[in-house]
Amino acid sequence: RCLNLTPMAGGASWQLHGPGGAVTVDLDCRLQANDVLASHVAAVAGFGIAATADFVAAQAIARGELVQVLPRWTFADAAIHAVHAAGLYVPARARAFIDHMAAVLAEYRAPD
């Protein structure tokens, strides 16, 4: 059984990319959530297979609470946007946060 993150494109199916190309997998969803943490907690509790980012699951995998089941398969890249008020001036704290998050997330970028 799968745990579907509802904001993911495709609804009740996953588009996976692997060694043989792209495949669409229809899901038998045990749970649907609109929050990645809820999906993660449900996976750790044993409710099913969750699709999540490496940085979300890394600690649970290291502790043996989760196991990666399809290591050679990925989802399409997801975009993350930082939004702030229009205009040329961006407050220093907002700029610092954006720069920090860009650096942190760059560590999890898949190799080309």
Side-chain angles (χ1 to χ4, degrees):
R1 296 271 173 128
C2 294
L3 309 172
N4 194 31
L5 188 61
T6 54
M8 292 182 62
S13 65
W14 289 344
Q15 272 274 338
L16 301 170
H17 302 272
V23 175
T24 300
V25 178
D26 293 326
L27 301 180
D28 178 12
C29 297
R30 185 169 188 184
L31 173 75
Q32 293 197 60
N34 65 355
D35 179 85
V36 71
L37 184 57
S39 181
H40 172 79
V41 168
V44 170
F47 281 86
I49 298 170
T52 191
D54 293 341
F55 66 91
V56 173
Q59 290 181 349
I61 290 170
R63 290 189 301 262
E65 298 171 344
L66 292 178
V67 176
Q68 188 176 12
V69 295
L70 297 171
R72 296 176 55 195
W73 292 83
T74 62
F75 289 94
D77 290 339
I80 298 175
H81 302 276
V83 180
H84 55 80
L88 299 177
Y89 174 73
V90 178
R93 64 180 178 254
R95 172 56 42 209
F97 175 75
I98 292 167
D99 293 346
H100 171 74
M101 291 308 299
V104 168
L105 294 173
E107 294 178 26
Y108 296 99
R109 192 174 298 154
D112 293 331

